[in-house]
Amino acid sequence: MVYITRREQFSAAHKLFRKEWSEEKNNEVFGKCSNPNWHGHNYELFVTVKGEQNPDTSFVANLSTISVILREKVISKLDHKNINLDVDFMKGKTATTETLAVEIWKQIETPINQLGCTLHCVKIRETENNYVEYFGS
Ligand code: NI
């Protein structure tokens, strides 16, 4: 079994808040990410797939093909967008990196697995110091 990873980048705005909470409570729980007038991050997305090497190509999967899937299903919907307002698969959800990782997994699992490999991990880095990994459960 070999694991391969494709990295993509996107820039997006968000805020973390629960509308049933006061501004003070949101600020207490979510800190700077609750700023009412939005803010942005330069996100990095790492998608890892696993599988056996194809005997003809030696590839687990073609990373260029994986990149096309990621751009079509995820990056085009997120890049230079407002995650809370613009992104269909994040509608009505709290725009944490955790939720983003889970929802991105749902968007790409089927097309990735159709390549003959298995989606292993969706990792998103939100800042230099913070990243989230989701392994499908
Ligand atoms: Ni933030």
Side-chain angles (χ1 to χ4, degrees), residues 14 33 39 41 43 126:
H14 79 156
C33 276
H39 66 281
H41 297 279
Y43 292 90
E126 187 186 59

Side-chain angles (χ1 to χ4, degrees), residues 75-89:
I75 303 299
S76 64
K77 295 180 177 181
L78 286 164
D79 191 36
H80 288 74
K81 300 288 171 56
N82 181 313
I83 295 171
N84 297 73
L85 301 180
D86 299 330
V87 182
D88 55 359
F89 60 80

Side-chain angles (χ1 to χ4, degrees), residues 13-16 30 32-34 39-41 43 95 97 126-127:
H14 79 156
K15 69 178 170 185
L16 301 180
F30 294 124
K32 285 195 292 188
C33 276
S34 74
H39 66 281
H41 297 279
Y43 292 90
T97 313
E126 187 186 59
T127 69

Side-chain angles (χ1 to χ4, degrees), residues 64-130:
S64 301
T65 308
I66 291 175
S67 177
V68 170
I69 291 169
L70 297 181
R71 286 174 198 210
E72 183 189 320
K73 301 287 183 189
V74 176
I75 303 299
S76 64
K77 295 180 177 181
L78 286 164
D79 191 36
H80 288 74
K81 300 288 171 56
N82 181 313
I83 295 171
N84 297 73
L85 301 180
D86 299 330
V87 182
D88 55 359
F89 60 80
M90 290 296 289
K91 280 273 157 61
K93 301 184 168 74
T94 304
T96 60
T97 313
E98 288 88 334
T99 298
L100 206 45
V102 171
E103 296 305 318
I104 287 174
W105 178 288
K106 292 179 193 169
Q107 299 303 308
I108 64 173
E109 182 179 20
T110 298
I112 292 280
N113 291 349
Q114 282 170 349
L115 301 176
C117 54
T118 303
L119 182 58
H120 174 67
C121 179
V122 172
K123 172 178 165 179
I124 303 172
R125 197 163 87 164
E126 187 186 59
T127 69
E128 283 293 308
N129 297 323
N130 296 340

